[in-house]
Amino acid sequence: MRYDNLSVMETIIGEGGSSDKASIALSTSKNRRIPNQRMPERSPQSMYAAKQLHAKGSRQLRSLRSTYNCVGMVFANRRTFIEPEQIPIILQDDEYTEVVKEDDLMPGDVVLYEDPQTGDIQHVGLVLASEVMFQTKKIRVLSQFGRDGEYIHDLHDVPNLYGKTVVKFYSESRKAT
Amino acid sequence: MTLAETMVAIERDEFAAEMNLAAGTKAFRRAIREHELFDRLSELAKENPSEVAERIETISRSAVDERYENPFDTALSAYLMALCDVAGPEIASKIVQAVLRTPKTWWASGLARELLLQTVAMGAIGVGVDWRNYARVNEWFVALHSSSGRETTMRELLDAVSAGQPTGRVSNVIEFPPPEARTMSHVVPKAFLKRKKGSARPQNIAAARKRA
């Protein structure tokens, strides 16, 4: 009894760390561990409700899985849940640079949705396409909506829960000059 | 809307889908707090906390499909947050333990563990820090550490838990001796105790500790 509770405490304190059995080995390119936790799958009924709620507008459903979040989709190959607070560390260690001009965007670049007041990262996705149609720039993004499934959507067509956000783009790509 | 109706709405798949849009723990908890159903629940829980506590107990005993996450995970999180806003540490620790017994929860068990640690810290160290402002326990612990005005180490916290467990009574409330009555104890990790004789070093450490 006594030890069981201590085990719980150790899990609490090291949550998401190397001692947490629910996490996987994941590091930045500078070998800093990225805390993470694998999540259980939600029931088909629950995912169906999510689909009913989100599959509208420009959104095209890609997948209905709930075992990872948007950060896990972009930075961990859809294998685990990573808190958005880890993103700045990943971007820094993996030497991402901000793409300031939308004209320079390439498929595969990362898009961050930030709260303009707090700076908190509300959502993250991957740029799928960036093209000009009828003199209008159209950017399509692939992202996992929380644990509610993956969607391909227009850049600004994200759920209201993320609030008013500013978008920032980052790229790890290197080009010969 | 009555309390029963509010709880039915909170337990629907639609509420879970809306809250599970959150990218992380902080956003999930904020989304629940900002939802109108949570406002209603909080108001009603003040008047009748026992009904919400009973609902948590009932859910904790109900059977689940082992293949999937507990369908009440999001609802349990909302109930925990609402109840812990109005209940004292003793009731909080009871409902937290009920949630920790509930199989296949994710958001709710994370929240319950942090609340358990909070009740532990309040009882053992006597420093109350409002956990709700912090997304993760490590963040909360840093705040606890800096606000206590003295050295409070992780080891001390673990020792407090260790010392507190044997004094627990028949009820599920965890009780702790006052800090001055606590004695230092060393925790020997389970893995070390299980080693066979061939791998002698860890056992020697355990034996040396015993001798000391």
Side-chain angles (χ1 to χ4, degrees), chain A residues 2 15 41 83 147-148, chain B residues 17 20 25 69 117 136 162:
Chain A
R2 181 178 174 181
E15 198 171 33
E41 187 88 69
E83 290 286 357
R147 300 176 65 201
D148 281 357
Chain B
N20 273 284
T25 309
E69 181 178 273
L117 191 62
R136 281 279 168 203
S162 174

Side-chain angles (χ1 to χ4, degrees), chain A residues 3-174:
Chain A
Y3 188 78
D4 285 349
N5 280 297
L6 269 174
S7 301
V8 172
M9 298 306 294
E10 284 170 342
T11 305
I12 300 165
I13 291 161
E15 198 171 33
S18 55
S19 60
D20 186 349
K21 285 176 187 166
S23 78
I24 59 170
L26 191 66
S27 301
T28 66
S29 54
K30 296 224 167 107
N31 232 9
R32 256 201 283 192
R33 188 179 163 82
I34 304 170
N36 67 88
Q37 279 185 299
R38 280 176 294 174
M39 312 165 100
E41 187 88 69
R42 276 160 58 207
S43 70
Q45 298 94 301
S46 179
M47 295 311 288
Y48 179 75
K51 182 186 164 189
Q52 295 295 100
L53 208 60
H54 310 310
K56 57 187 177 187
S58 74
R59 301 169 196 164
Q60 182 189 343
L61 177 68
R62 184 190 171 275
S63 169
L64 273 179
R65 289 195 62 199
S66 57
T67 52
Y68 55 93
N69 64 342
C70 54
V71 192
M73 188 206 92
V74 173
F75 297 108
N77 216 13
R78 300 184 172 91
R79 289 194 180 122
T80 189
F81 171 95
I82 303 169
E83 290 286 357
E85 287 78 11
Q86 300 297 323
I87 293 177
I89 297 164
I90 300 170
L91 294 180
Q92 187 190 334
D93 280 10
D94 290 358
E95 297 179 358
Y96 277 78
T97 52
E98 189 170 356
V99 181
V100 182
K101 290 182 193 168
E102 284 190 6
D103 289 344
D104 296 337
L105 277 180
M106 295 287 286
D109 288 347
V110 170
V111 51
L112 298 187
Y113 295 79
E114 280 186 11
D115 183 321
Q117 289 177 331
T118 61
D120 287 347
I121 297 168
Q122 300 293 339
H123 187 51
V124 60
L126 288 172
V127 173
L128 272 191
S130 170
E131 49 203 22
V132 179
M133 288 176 74
F134 306 112
Q135 295 178 329
T136 308
K137 187 92 177 166
K138 190 167 184 179
I139 299 168
R140 294 286 283 172
V141 172
L142 169 68
S143 70
Q144 165 87 347
F145 287 172
R147 300 176 65 201
D148 281 357
E150 263 182 55
Y151 288 85
I152 296 162
H153 56 91
D154 285 352
L155 178 64
H156 295 289
D157 186 15
V158 289
N160 292 334
L161 188 98
Y162 301 138
K164 284 184 181 172
T165 52
V166 289
V167 289
K168 286 183 181 171
F169 301 100
Y170 288 85
S171 179
E172 87 313 332
S173 72
R174 302 283 179 274

Side-chain angles (χ1 to χ4, degrees), chain B residues 60-110:
Chain B
S60 73
R61 288 191 297 265
S62 58
V64 293
D65 185 338
E66 285 293 322
R67 292 171 300 169
Y68 303 114
E69 181 178 273
N70 193 308
F72 298 105
D73 189 31
T74 305
L76 278 176
S77 305
Y79 296 158
L80 257 185
M81 287 162 74
L83 263 190
C84 288
D85 284 350
V86 294
E90 287 197 1
I91 294 173
S93 73
K94 273 186 184 173
I95 55 171
V96 155
Q97 287 174 63
V99 170
L100 288 173
R101 282 196 306 270
T102 312
K104 302 292 277 184
T105 57
W106 199 80
W107 294 116
S109 58

